[in-house]
Amino acid sequence: MEKTHTAVDTDVVIVGAGTAGAIIAARLAQAGRDVVLLEAGPDFPTADATPDVVRYGSYSEGRLTTRDFSWHWATALTEAGGEPYILYSGRITGGGSSVNGQVWLHGLPGDFNGAWSTAAGADWNWNAVEPWYRRTERDLDYPTAGESGEIPVRRIPEAAWHPLHAAFVQACRDSGFALCADFNAVGAEGVGAQPFNNVDGVRVSSALSHLSLVRELPNLRILGGHTVERILFQGTRAAGVLAKTSDGDVTVGAREVILAAGAIGTPWLLMRSGVGPTEQLDRFDVPIVADAPGVGTGLREHPQFALRWRSQSERPLDLTSARSPVALRMTAPGSSVRDDIKISISAFHDDAGFGVQVAIFLMLALSRGDVTLSEDGPDSRPVIDFQYLEHPEDRRRLRETVRFAVRLVENSGLSSFVAERDDLSDDVLFDDDQLDGWLRRRVQGTYHPSSTCAMGDVIDADARVRGVDNLRVVDAAAMPESVRANLNATVSMMGERFAAMISAEAAD
């Protein structure tokens, strides 16, 4: 079949229909802007048409998994012999909000009053962003003034917890941690139920919460299966994008280009289009539109580890406990960063049978990574190096937290659920150097990349890319620093806030 090249013109083109892109497309369309929303993955126009594995909050359905609707990004190993980390990010309308675990946690006030406001100014301190969290959501358990958003939030009630989860909460309380009713309350810490944007079993993605409201509007076109290859510039003015489809190329001309391709896809697209570090672009003869050294730098994540025990046969588990409705938010022993650790517990099953898994998340790492162009050229997948645990304080905090978690499980009521510990002997556990090596081999990410086109560096506080015109970055790449929380609530908040900023500018 002969390939075609078609041209489309619009007011605003948005690259990526993920969490932020879908929200901004919906709000701008509601404001009367002519919008084209491009998504590399499929678009399912109704809830009924959406595959069950996406619509409902599961990870697999028969042979179909959320990974079938994801980008598969290979990342650099932290240490030889380590476990490869494949970063999965949404490749579907709704993006990460269509494939994630649906934990809905706000960032902490200190995140915004610290790195965010330092980099991007007072418009991004806690007092400025907190109302936008509330406008994004409807908390069904703890409603507060100002809530008017499209995304419902609820917690799994204690009566529905598996005994494993109830025992975890009790063990944490016996260790001196307070019971936390609402992790999204200011100052909340301790152990309690996690908030989820999953109601009645339905994963409320931005495709369902926002795009479903505007699909019938004539000024919005949602185009799935469109992979954007380049931003098109006229001098230093972004004038549109070039996309690839199964039928051929599509050129979308626009007065404004908005990038929401994710913390990996957005910097990669910028560099391929001539906006990035000069030394990288020169190496591949990419015509330079703007020297932007910060593009791809400062990559953040939430490193995690899994501690595993075999299950006690007299306390059998089942996979109804494979998800964790509860978590512990704590400060790592000796850490100067408050609430830098999250711990959850779940069941797992493998060839050897059932077991108990404790997941430890470092929610504010000091190590920094980067996204760079591949030696095979700018059109090849970029090199993603998180440089996990390069900072010695990251290793120290995690060593002490791993030891705490082992004590928590083995010296509490949880001990009745577990038998032998998997793959972490006491000889390794209590030797700093050996434990560091174990951590570096076992470290994985949490699918929470951010900060590769940070506000205050690559973009300004209104999401405009510095050095060029008519181009913005609005997704997790724009974060000046990660937040001490799962990212979806914060990216949703950013989407709502950036949409309001863009609409206000257009009205002036």
Side-chain angles (χ1 to χ4, degrees), residues 58-346:
S58 58
Y59 293 108
S60 62
E61 181 79 23
R63 294 185 178 181
L64 197 64
T65 75
T66 52
R67 295 176 181 179
D68 293 293
F69 302 100
S70 300
W71 293 94
H72 298 197
W73 304 102
T75 71
L77 281 174
T78 297
E79 185 161 290
E83 296 182 4
Y85 170 43
I86 303 299
L87 170 62
Y88 298 102
S89 62
R91 192 173 185 269
I92 181 176
T93 304
S97 68
S98 290
V99 299
N100 66 358
Q102 305 124 80
V103 175
W104 185 267
L105 282 174
H106 297 179
L108 302 184
D111 297 327
F112 299 98
N113 292 336
W116 284 60
S117 59
T118 298
D123 284 345
W124 288 96
N125 67 23
W126 175 251
N127 287 337
V129 304
E130 192 272 343
W132 287 97
Y133 275 118
R134 300 303 179 186
R135 292 181 206 179
T136 304
E137 69 193 17
R138 296 191 320 278
D139 195 315
L140 305 180
D141 300 318
Y142 300 102
T144 61
E147 286 186 4
S148 59
E150 314 296 345
I151 301 173
V153 179
R154 58 90 193 180
R155 293 145 192 85
I156 298 173
E158 182 176 354
W161 296 352
H162 188 278
L164 176 68
H165 302 130
F168 174 76
V169 170
Q170 188 60 52
C172 292
R173 297 193 69 185
D174 291 345
S175 295
F177 294 99
L179 184 64
C180 179
D182 178 15
F183 278 125
N184 285 332
V186 172
E189 57 186 2
V191 64
Q194 298 197 86
F196 293 90
N197 58 301
N198 180 307
V199 177
D200 297 328
V202 175
R203 185 201 314 264
V204 186
S205 69
S206 58
L208 294 182
S209 64
H210 286 72
L211 288 184
S212 63
L213 303 176
V214 295
R215 283 186 177 273
E216 301 306 316
L217 292 179
N219 56 317
L220 173 64
R221 284 168 284 181
I222 303 171
L223 303 177
H226 284 60
T227 303
V228 174
E229 297 288 316
R230 295 285 188 279
I231 305 162
L232 303 176
F233 286 95
Q234 294 176 353
T236 58
R237 181 176 71 85
V241 299
L242 172 66
K244 301 284 187 181
T245 76
S246 59
D247 296 325
D249 294 349
V250 177
T251 299
V252 182
R255 285 188 286 276
E256 184 163 20
V257 178
I258 297 176
L259 303 186
I264 307 301
T266 288
W268 184 33
L269 178 58
L270 283 169
M271 287 187 281
R272 298 200 319 268
S273 305
V275 179
T278 296
E279 67 276 11
Q280 289 195 57
L281 305 185
D282 279 345
R283 191 165 75 245
F284 299 106
D285 298 322
V286 176
I288 295 173
V289 176
D291 178 29
V295 171
T297 65
L299 175 62
R300 315 294 205 264
E301 242 274 31
H302 295 144
Q304 71 157 308
F305 302 87
L307 303 178
R308 288 187 159 191
W309 290 260
R310 290 293 120 188
S311 173
Q312 286 272 19
S313 58
E314 61 266 28
R315 295 296 299 271
L317 299 174
D318 60 61
L319 292 183
T320 61
S321 55
R323 291 269 184 103
S324 184
V326 298
L328 170 66
R329 176 183 278 168
M330 61 174 280
T331 301
S335 177
S336 62
V337 181
R338 286 199 63 83
D339 301 319
D340 55 349
I341 295 290
K342 189 174 87 163
I343 299 177
S344 63
I345 193 166
S346 60

Side-chain angles (χ1 to χ4, degrees), residues 303-475:
Q304 71 157 308
F305 302 87
L307 303 178
R308 288 187 159 191
W309 290 260
R310 290 293 120 188
S311 173
Q312 286 272 19
S313 58
E314 61 266 28
R315 295 296 299 271
L317 299 174
D318 60 61
L319 292 183
T320 61
S321 55
R323 291 269 184 103
S324 184
V326 298
L328 170 66
R329 176 183 278 168
M330 61 174 280
T331 301
S335 177
S336 62
V337 181
R338 286 199 63 83
D339 301 319
D340 55 349
I341 295 290
K342 189 174 87 163
I343 299 177
S344 63
I345 193 166
S346 60
F348 71 91
H349 185 270
D350 59 17
D351 292 342
F354 284 95
V356 171
Q357 174 172 292
V358 169
I360 297 171
F361 306 87
L362 180 59
M363 302 304 288
L364 196 63
L366 300 177
S367 305
R368 304 288 184 250
D370 52 34
V371 178
T372 56
L373 294 177
S374 167
E375 292 297 329
D376 295 328
D379 291 330
S380 297
R381 290 292 185 93
V383 176
I384 304 165
D385 187 354
F386 286 103
Q387 299 180 37
Y388 290 131
L389 309 188
E390 287 301 304
H391 198 288
E393 179 63 3
D394 288 352
R395 298 194 296 273
R396 190 203 66 78
R397 287 185 289 168
L398 284 167
R399 285 198 306 267
E400 295 308 314
T401 303
V402 166
R403 290 163 180 161
F404 161 79
V406 169
R407 293 194 301 271
L408 181 72
V409 171
E410 297 182 357
N411 298 312
S412 72
L414 285 167
S415 63
S416 66
F417 288 87
V418 302
E420 68 275 10
R421 192 190 318 145
D422 272 4
D423 191 43
L424 180 60
S425 68
D426 282 354
D427 288 345
V428 173
L429 179 63
F430 296 111
D431 182 282
D432 286 357
D433 290 339
Q434 290 193 69
L435 185 53
D436 279 354
W438 185 89
L439 290 169
R440 290 175 65 87
R441 288 189 300 274
R442 288 307 184 90
V443 64
Q444 295 283 287
T446 316
Y447 314 125
H448 296 167
S450 73
S451 310
T452 49
C453 299
M455 276 191 285
D457 182 2
V458 175
I459 65 175
D460 66 17
D462 296 327
R464 298 186 193 90
V465 178
R466 290 171 167 168
V468 299
D469 297 317
N470 303 339
L471 181 63
R472 300 184 198 247
V473 171
V474 298
D475 55 29

